[in-house]
Amino acid sequence: MSTIKNTFLDYGYSAAEIEKRVNDTFSEIFEKPWSRFYFDGIGDTGYFMDTGNCDARTEGMSYGMMMCVMQDRKDIFDRMWKFAMDFMYMSEGRMKGYFAWSVGPDGKKNAWGPAPDGEEFFAMALFLAGRKWGDVEGESIYNYTMWARRILHTCLHQEYPMWNADNGYVLFVPACPFTDPSYHLMHFYHYFALWADEEDRPFWKRAEEASREYLAKVCHPVTGMNPEYGNFDGTPNPYGPPDGHGDFYSDAYRTGANIGLDSLWHGHNPNFEKIADNLVNFFADIDPADYKKYHLDGTPVLLPDGTPEKALHPVGLLATLAQTTLACSPAAATAAEKIVRRFWNTPLRQGERRYYDNCLYFFAMLALSGKYKV
């Protein structure tokens, strides 16, 4: 795609102020001392710090790499990719070929298991890096396309695969019997079906359609909300007491954003329009300061003392709602505009929880400015 819809421009913001806002947001995340969470690592590496948990995660590392591709920052991309390969990649053991989902800033692994959202974003960012900057030949880690294909091959053919071969669904962790709706990146699978190892391309095409079908059944028919974890039949999976993950909470916010990006890249479909309209209409008149943790029917989750539990990442939720508007039908135009303008007028989050919120913030900024594109 050479051009793509610029929602901010459609709402009357100027091209110059949009460009400045995108660049300033990138700078705050990667460079500004008071707000950044990118840091130079050991040697010629770099990493995103999850400021709420004081570790580097494959989620954030792969997010950062995608941001760098979109902003044409090969220098930072290569530092982050080298950190991932030096300290996260597992070359032996039960999970050989995957990336440890959490490591310390010193490179020591906090876990020896992967999280599939990291592998998905690593692969897509690497494919796009190869197309933008070219590949170093041979076994170099900077042979981006080769490594993207290698990651996806591992995801499907490792002893403990990340996708269910029968239904085509991405799993919460390898070989487990349930999924995470926010991991379903059908807009990425579309390109995996073009660029992955040839023998695996039919699977990725099937996974693309399977994910669209799955999200249509896992999202609530009235509110559009989805659980953090879901069973294959679309019912919530409250795995992990005492907190549980069957409600609309932090992980789940990304699903609407993914639906929006899929619509931006590959066109609208009625199921996604309905989900997006429901979400955006539900939140259109709620101030982010009043966002809660919700049951899927929209009722707040209550703490033991009877008070509603607040959203842990309100700026992140607002950002994903803004990106969700890309999938809305004309019937939700008024609510969508409220959400997008509220997002534009909301600054990046500060403080110890800024990492997750501001990752989602920058992706929404890219998508709504027409800069999140292949």
Side-chain angles (χ1 to χ4, degrees), residues 15 94 111 184 262 290 357:
R94 188 164 167 263
H184 287 254
D262 184 61
D290 294 325
D357 293 72

Side-chain angles (χ1 to χ4, degrees), residues 265-282:
W265 285 4
H266 301 127
H268 285 240
N269 73 62
N271 288 329
F272 282 4
E273 284 187 352
K274 185 174 187 297
I275 294 166
D277 286 3
N278 287 340
L279 272 172
V280 168
N281 281 317
F282 182 92

Side-chain angles (χ1 to χ4, degrees), residues 5-9 13 17-26 29 67 70-71 257 264 318-320 322-323 326 340 342-348 357-372:
K5 177 181 171 65
N6 185 331
T7 300
F8 289 141
L9 200 63
Y13 302 104
E17 65 182 327
I18 296 166
E19 185 73 17
K20 183 178 186 302
R21 186 66 176 274
V22 171
N23 292 336
D24 286 351
T25 302
F26 184 88
I29 288 172
M67 296 173 191
M70 296 300 156
Q71 290 294 98
L264 185 69
L318 174 60
T320 57
Q323 190 168 321
L326 296 168
V340 172
R342 186 178 299 140
F343 171 64
W344 178 270
N345 292 325
T346 298
L348 285 158
D357 293 72
N358 292 348
C359 282
L360 302 180
Y361 189 107
F362 189 62
F363 282 139
M365 191 64 64
L366 287 172
L368 292 161
S369 65
K371 293 179 175 292
Y372 200 163

